[in-house]
Amino acid sequence: MRNEERTIGVVGMGLMGGAIARALRGPCGITQDQMLACDVDAEALAAAEGEQLIAKGYAAEAAGEMLALCDLVFLCINPQSLIAFLDTWEHSFKAGALLTDIAGIKAPIAARAEKLRPDIDFIPGHPMAGAEGGGFAAAARCSFQGKNYILTPLARNKPENLDFLKDLIRRMGFGRITETSAADHDRKIAFTSQLCHVLAAALIDCEADTSITRFGGGSFEGFTRIAMLNAPMWAELFTTNREALLERVTQFEDSLAAFKTLIQESNTAALQQKLTAVRERREQLGHFSP
Amino acid sequence: MRNEERTIGVVGMGLMGGAIARALRGPCGITQDQMLACDVDAEALAAAEGEQLIAKGYAAEAAGEMLALCDLVFLCINPQSLIAFLDTWEHSFKAGALLTDIAGIKAPIAARAEKLRPDIDFIPGHPMAGAEGGGFAAAARCSFQGKNYILTPLARNKPENLDFLKDLIRRMGFGRITETSAADHDRKIAFTSQLCHVLAAALIDCEADTSITRFGGGSFEGFTRIAMLNAPMWAELFTTNREALLERVTQFEDSLAAFKTLIQESNTAALQQKLTAVRERREQLGHFSP
């Protein structure tokens, strides 16, 4: 099926659903009448219609009506809701539909996707993009340009669907697509994303005095910007990826304890050596974009 | 003495010395022939001359020659070097000279400043600005616009000198000047600056696999950008402000342990509540600029 003929449904018109709808309508050149969405939030749907992102919005209970029309569905809701959504609506998807999601945890999604109707092709994904706040209103501030996109394809996925999705992702503006296993994704994301959010939250939780902003020089602000997070989603991600995240928290605690010991010992020489190695490693990592 | 008549010396043409020289020559309208600098690094001095920031550069051993000419001196070297510099050159400063510094720790600097020749007026300061890397080459990337500047004036400082310095700081582009005690500065900076650098370094020290950049979505990159630090300076800051910093590290460890416990317990409801409170507090802090 050609791109121009596909009907695309977005389930969940929040931050990521909204940003994907914008990218599909913009750089991907999908027409408004190819775009549908459903959400529990009628206001978000009305806003998306108002911005001409979608032809029609469906209430949550009318999801089946929309799904029956869609050749491609972006599932943009929290992991647990996503699994519940599949349980409820599996029978409603159009025959042969291509599905993908954006959840920050992949193992439970992949496990559920494996068990879907054989004609449905679900390719689990994770666009590594975001914006402060959350919700449809924040979607306009969420840039995909040059960002990373992780796919954790299943053995059952059709190669032509994978190629089609990767092409669409590139046209949305993403700079690098990585294919890996769900388990590998979850281990690495526990470090690069979830641990950072835990650290930022723990840092903000340390200090109630708002006058400390007068003593900010950039590092604290930059460090804690991600603490302006979607609390229900992150609470769910932390507990869903519990084992991998706890391993990373413990690893970080050990690493911090090593620095603390050197500070306690006033070991300036060893600190300097360690900080030099850290600087070199961080410089090797560069700007993370391809 | 009017601004146009003052000769200004910059001791240390590194990141901050270079950025201050640029701001003095640019927005402050100081002429090149009013500007002098000294440094151990002849290349940095040559570069500053080449960019017409200074009229003349002095080698470290000729510092006395320069200081004898300067009405205002910006001391832009690491804290321990600064104290050693004052010990060596105290007798060489011009009578009635105004001194200020940029060190990230203020108690030991203030203590030394208290004991200076009575005619010398040293107002300790800390511009809350920086740039990745360090050194004179990074000075061009160091913006002062809207940033915080902390002053920890001494009882012996002359009010007219304090007013003059504050006016100059504003003209350099800084957005907010806070006057406080050296002890208060050191306690708060331990949190907003030093702790963040320790955390970023500890995070980088956790992981040697450079392929994790493929899994970066912004938070890890933003978190660890400050790990590209000036290792000797930060090692010195960490140990010089040891007590205040260790208190903050311990406080952070406790805060992190509380999150870890909730994750271990899979207590999604309590995590969500805590993350909501964190988000609200971070939003209250805003963008840190006045």
Side-chain angles (χ1 to χ4, degrees):
Chain A
M1 188 183 294
R2 290 184 324 162
N3 203 25
E4 303 75 50
E5 293 162 0
R6 296 195 197 229
T7 295
I8 303 180
V10 179
V11 176
M13 199 37 89
L15 168 63
M16 198 51 64
I20 286 173
R22 285 175 169 275
L24 291 172
R25 288 280 292 121
C28 296
I30 307 292
T31 62
Q32 188 181 354
D33 59 7
Q34 287 175 269
M35 297 282 299
L36 306 174
C38 78
D39 202 299
V40 291
D41 178 4
E43 275 182 42
L45 291 175
E49 280 188 69
E51 292 184 27
Q52 307 191 321
L53 296 181
I54 57 170
K56 188 174 173 187
Y58 294 79
E61 57 275 16
E65 215 179 299
M66 180 190 88
L67 296 175
L69 302 170
C70 296
D71 305 290
L72 169 62
V73 180
F74 280 92
L75 297 155
C76 305
I77 53 182
N78 292 0
Q80 297 304 331
S81 311
L82 169 48
I83 289 169
F85 185 90
L86 293 176
D87 292 344
T88 307
W89 300 106
E90 176 165 2
H91 64 280
S92 305
F93 286 96
K94 186 170 173 179
L98 170 59
L99 277 55
T100 190
D101 74 315
I102 55 98
I105 172 104
K106 297 269 65 90
I109 307 296
R112 181 62 187 86
E114 291 280 10
K115 289 185 243 151
L116 281 172
R117 264 169 40 198
D119 66 300
I120 304 181
D121 206 25
F122 186 132
I123 304 174
H126 183 190
M128 302 296 300
E132 287 162 31
F136 179 75
R141 295 197 310 273
C142 180
S143 166
F144 291 162
Q145 211 52 48
K147 297 286 173 71
N148 287 315
Y149 205 110
I150 318 293
L151 291 173
T152 63
L154 311 177
R156 58 178 263 180
N157 289 144
K158 295 194 182 84
E160 63 271 27
N161 279 339
L162 188 57
D163 288 344
F164 167 79
L165 185 59
K166 284 160 72 175
D167 179 56
L168 198 62
I169 289 168
R170 279 189 209 98
R171 283 157 58 207
M172 283 190 201
F174 287 91
R176 181 166 54 187
I177 301 171
T178 299
E179 292 176 54
T180 189
S181 68
D184 184 57
H185 168 276
D186 293 354
R187 269 195 307 271
K188 288 187 172 144
I189 281 302
F191 181 66
T192 58
S193 174
Q194 290 157 7
L195 176 61
C196 292
H197 284 77
V198 173
L199 298 181
L203 189 60
I204 288 293
D205 207 36
C206 276
E207 177 62 66
D209 175 7
T210 57
S211 80
I212 49 149
T213 55
R214 290 187 157 266
F215 295 82
S219 47
F220 186 81
E221 300 91 300
F223 225 78
T224 59
R225 198 162 287 128
I226 54 171
M228 291 186 270
L229 41 66
N230 177 336
M233 183 182 83
W234 285 97
E236 195 183 313
L237 288 173
F238 292 170
T239 51
T240 311
N241 203 20
R242 197 169 71 107
E243 296 310 320
L245 178 54
L246 286 174
E247 195 177 306
R248 289 307 202 160
V249 172
T250 302
Q251 190 184 16
F252 180 83
E253 286 175 329
D254 294 345
S255 175
L256 180 58
F259 277 97
K260 191 182 183 185
T261 301
L262 294 179
I263 297 167
Q264 270 164 336
E265 295 169 348
S266 290
N267 193 340
T268 312
L271 274 171
Q272 185 174 329
Q273 198 171 19
K274 219 166 152 68
L275 292 176
T276 302
V278 157
R279 172 187 173 147
E280 282 165 10
R281 187 182 288 174
R282 180 58 184 85
E283 281 171 349
Q284 272 170 20
L285 297 180
H287 290 284
F288 284 63
S289 292
Chain B
M1 190 182 293
R2 291 183 323 164
N3 204 26
E4 303 76 51
E5 294 163 358
R6 297 195 196 228
T7 296
I8 303 179
V10 179
V11 176
M13 199 39 87
L15 168 63
M16 198 50 65
I20 286 173
R22 285 175 170 274
L24 291 171
R25 288 280 294 122
C28 296
I30 307 291
T31 61
Q32 188 181 353
D33 58 9
Q34 288 175 268
M35 297 281 299
L36 306 175
C38 78
D39 203 299
V40 292
D41 178 2
E43 275 183 39
L45 291 175
E49 279 188 72
E51 293 184 29
Q52 307 191 320
L53 296 180
I54 57 169
K56 189 174 172 187
Y58 295 78
E61 58 275 16
E65 215 179 302
M66 180 191 88
L67 297 176
L69 302 171
C70 296
D71 304 292
L72 169 61
V73 180
F74 281 91
L75 297 155
C76 305
I77 53 183
N78 291 1
Q80 297 305 332
S81 310
L82 169 48
I83 289 169
F85 186 90
L86 292 176
D87 293 345
T88 306
W89 300 106
E90 177 166 359
H91 65 281
S92 303
F93 286 96
K94 186 172 173 180
L98 171 58
L99 276 55
T100 190
D101 76 314
I102 54 96
I105 172 102
K106 297 268 65 92
I109 307 295
R112 181 63 186 85
E114 291 280 9
K115 289 187 243 149
L116 282 173
R117 263 168 43 195
D119 67 299
I120 304 180
D121 207 24
F122 186 130
I123 304 174
H126 184 190
M128 302 296 299
E132 286 163 31
F136 180 76
R141 296 197 311 272
C142 179
S143 166
F144 292 162
Q145 211 53 47
K147 297 286 173 71
N148 288 314
Y149 205 111
I150 317 293
L151 291 172
T152 62
L154 312 176
R156 59 178 262 181
N157 289 144
K158 295 193 183 84
E160 64 271 26
N161 278 340
L162 187 56
D163 288 345
F164 167 78
L165 185 59
K166 285 161 71 176
D167 178 59
L168 198 63
I169 289 167
R170 279 190 209 96
R171 283 156 58 206
M172 282 189 203
F174 287 91
R176 180 164 56 186
I177 300 171
T178 300
E179 292 176 54
T180 189
S181 68
D184 184 58
H185 167 276
D186 292 353
R187 270 194 307 271
K188 289 185 172 146
I189 281 303
F191 181 65
T192 58
S193 175
Q194 289 157 7
L195 176 61
C196 292
H197 284 77
V198 173
L199 299 181
L203 189 60
I204 289 293
D205 207 36
C206 277
E207 178 61 66
D209 176 5
T210 57
S211 80
I212 49 150
T213 57
R214 289 188 158 264
F215 295 81
S219 48
F220 186 82
E221 300 90 299
F223 226 78
T224 58
R225 199 161 288 130
I226 54 170
M228 291 185 268
L229 40 65
N230 176 335
M233 185 183 81
W234 284 97
E236 194 182 314
L237 288 174
F238 291 171
T239 51
T240 312
N241 203 20
R242 196 170 71 106
E243 296 309 322
L245 178 55
L246 286 174
E247 197 177 306
R248 290 306 204 160
V249 171
T250 303
Q251 190 184 14
F252 179 83
E253 286 175 329
D254 294 345
S255 175
L256 180 58
F259 277 97
K260 190 182 183 185
T261 301
L262 294 180
I263 297 167
Q264 269 163 337
E265 295 168 351
S266 291
N267 194 339
T268 312
L271 273 172
Q272 186 174 328
Q273 197 171 19
K274 219 167 152 68
L275 292 176
T276 302
V278 157
R279 174 187 171 146
E280 282 164 9
R281 187 181 287 174
R282 181 59 184 84
E283 280 171 348
Q284 273 170 20
L285 297 181
H287 288 285
F288 285 65
S289 293

